[in-house]
């Protein structure tokens, strides 16, 4: 599988994908902090000899309570299994039968992302009202 840990050399492609999707506004410094954090798992999905970046995911692995911070797939490759493969990379670090959990938050109006998370076993457990700067609610999920 073409998944490996993210490096600083990946950041130009990661930032370009983030800009293309326009769903968050992390900067290079924030991504570098995640790459360097000993509790973070930052992975990329690449293709071909030129290692074209097609997706990435960032997880905080904090013992039994972990969090998915960000997951993204290039638009032309969405619904091709890349997101599921990235999610599996994070799940592989957890032991759900023994009680490990993973949490995430997503915009209430992002039906596509919510369906993806539900497909991967996440269930809604709460709402943060007016969480985002534009007033949209955040839906909290856990698995």
């Amino acid at each position: 599988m073409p998944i490996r840990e993210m490096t600083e050399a990946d950041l130009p492609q990661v930032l370009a994908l983030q800009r293309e999707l326009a769903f968050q506004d992390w900067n290079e410094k924030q991504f570098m902090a995640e790459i360097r954090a000993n509790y973070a798992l930052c992975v990329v999905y690449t293709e071909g000899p030129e290692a074209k970046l097609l997706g990435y995911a960032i997880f905080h692995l904090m013992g039994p309570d972990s969090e998915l911070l960000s997951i993204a797939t290039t638009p032309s490759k969405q619904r091709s299994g890349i997101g599921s493969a990235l999610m599996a990379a994070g799940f592989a670090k957890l032991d759900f039968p023994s009680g490990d959990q993973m949490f995430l938050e997503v915009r209430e109006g992002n039906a596509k992302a919510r369906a993806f998370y539900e497909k991967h076993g996440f269930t809604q457990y709460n709402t943060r009202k007016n969480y985002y700067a534009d007033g949209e609610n955040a839906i909290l999920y856990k698995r």
Side-chain angles (χ1 to χ4, degrees), residues 18-37:
Q18 177 193 241
R19 280 190 302 275
E20 182 179 3
L21 296 171
F23 75 97
Q24 69 185 27
D25 59 355
W26 287 16
N27 60 41
E28 185 174 354
K29 186 177 180 180
Q30 290 168 303
F31 279 108
M32 284 200 310
E34 294 300 330
I35 290 169
R36 294 174 180 162

Side-chain angles (χ1 to χ4, degrees), residues 40 77 126 138:
K77 295 289 187 173
N126 208 343

Side-chain angles (χ1 to χ4, degrees), residues 67-79:
E67 184 177 10
L68 171 63
L69 273 75
S70 184
I71 189 167
T73 303
T74 192
S76 65
K77 295 289 187 173
Q78 289 178 355
R79 302 189 67 85

Side-chain angles (χ1 to χ4, degrees), residues 5 34 37 39-43 57-61 89-90 93:
E5 289 203 23
E34 294 300 330
Y39 52 82
L41 172 66
C42 304
V43 292
I58 300 175
F59 303 89
H60 279 181
L61 302 176
K93 302 290 185 181

Side-chain angles (χ1 to χ4, degrees), residues 87 91 102 104 117-118 120-124 141-143:
M87 188 72 80
F91 288 169
M102 185 173 284
L104 64 87
Y117 298 135
E118 291 168 9
H120 288 88
F122 286 89
T123 56
Q124 181 180 339
Y141 280 89
K142 68 179 174 179
R143 176 177 183 220

